[in-house]
Amino acid sequence: PEKLPAPVVKLIADRLPRWKFTLSRPSNHVVDSGMSLRVLAQHQADGNYTLSIEGATFDQSRDSAEKVIGEKLTPPPYPWAAIRMRVSGTVYLLLQVGRDGKVHDATAEQVNLDEYGSELEMQRCRKLLADASLLVAKQWTFRVPSAGPSAADPYWVVRMPVHYHLNRSDESPRKPVYGEWKVYIPGPRSVAPWADQRLLSEAPDALPDGALHELDGGLRLDTGKSGG
């Protein structure tokens, strides 16, 4: 919390104790879950900002044998058309991983851009980044669960963000800093027909860069994220 602005820490402290969850499977134990939040700051006419929790994602702690783990994840190339247009953003992929560890189906659930443009321009830019990501993601391979309650599932659904960022020629690559404010231009959200209602309780773009999130249905948030 010392790396975050005080109003953000206060917002989280006020909201989270009032959240309520549903467990997909009965448990006699305390459920240990990691959590990622996206906090949104919106500029107001009086010069101040309003803060809200825009999205949340939960990831239960499990043994590695019970999780989907990436094995061969070749990074997608940066589309030349996107480079020429100086387009950057993040593609949030939704993948259906089969029992053979291969991606049987994939969709770009959401594409967030880092710059504004006309609606037509942004639509084209989202498609450029999404198409490049999907082309490579369908060749990825994973290690699937060999133990735990989901080991016998016919397939697993995972989310992965693919981040595209252009540096100027005089810039060195820069890693994201925890708690740093970023421009937020969310794209429309789509849901694959093979994904169930678990998706609706989590935000795709609450995932941090480089994360792999398995939709195991462990925790579902019942209350609103910004309210209590």
Side-chain angles (χ1 to χ4, degrees):
E2 66 276 2
K3 296 182 180 180
L4 300 174
V8 172
V9 176
K10 184 178 185 305
L11 172 73
I12 295 172
D14 288 345
R15 295 293 188 268
L16 262 63
R18 292 182 285 180
W19 284 5
K20 293 183 179 180
F21 299 86
T22 295
L23 293 177
S24 63
R25 301 181 182 93
S27 175
N28 295 322
H29 305 283
V30 173
V31 175
D32 181 17
S33 175
M35 176 176 64
S36 297
L37 300 177
R38 181 179 284 275
V39 176
L40 183 66
Q42 291 183 298
H43 190 255
Q44 304 299 306
D46 60 4
N48 292 315
Y49 286 83
T50 58
L51 294 180
S52 61
I53 298 176
E54 185 69 13
T57 294
F58 306 93
D59 196 2
Q60 286 183 244
S61 299
R62 290 173 295 160
D63 185 89
S64 60
E66 299 181 8
K67 298 192 296 185
V68 176
I69 297 175
E71 288 194 323
K72 186 179 179 182
L73 306 177
T74 305
Y78 216 121
W80 279 109
I83 293 175
R84 288 194 296 269
M85 297 169 66
R86 305 296 299 172
V87 173
S88 59
T90 303
V91 181
Y92 296 90
L93 295 176
L94 196 63
L95 310 174
Q96 184 192 75
V97 179
R99 296 191 63 82
D100 56 2
K102 296 180 180 180
V103 176
H104 289 191
D105 206 346
T107 188
E109 190 178 9
Q110 189 167 319
V111 182
N112 293 357
L113 299 177
D114 294 341
E115 302 87 13
Y116 279 107
S118 69
E119 189 54 45
L120 190 61
E121 288 172 335
M122 291 194 293
Q123 184 178 348
R124 182 189 175 195
C125 292
R126 292 188 189 106
K127 188 175 188 307
L128 279 172
L129 299 183
D131 288 350
S133 300
L134 288 169
L135 187 63
V136 173
K138 290 176 181 178
Q139 309 303 315
W140 288 348
T141 58
F142 297 83
R143 190 175 77 216
V144 300
S146 58
S150 69
D153 288 356
Y155 62 85
W156 297 264
V157 179
V158 297
R159 279 195 183 110
M160 286 191 67
V162 178
H163 185 58
Y164 293 87
H165 176 71
L166 287 173
N167 293 306
R168 297 197 309 265
S169 58
D170 58 345
E171 282 183 335
S172 57
R174 180 176 175 275
K175 291 184 178 181
V177 177
Y178 176 75
E180 182 180 54
W181 291 109
K182 299 178 181 179
V183 174
Y184 182 55
I185 309 173
R189 184 176 179 184
S190 61
V191 178
W194 36 263
D196 60 33
Q197 293 298 308
R198 292 175 296 176
L199 293 170
L200 301 180
S201 67
E202 296 186 340
D205 58 6
L207 278 180
D209 291 345
L212 187 157
H213 176 61
E214 183 182 347
L215 298 178
D216 61 1
L219 280 180
R220 187 179 72 242
L221 180 60
D222 289 338
T223 52
K225 292 180 288 297
S226 59

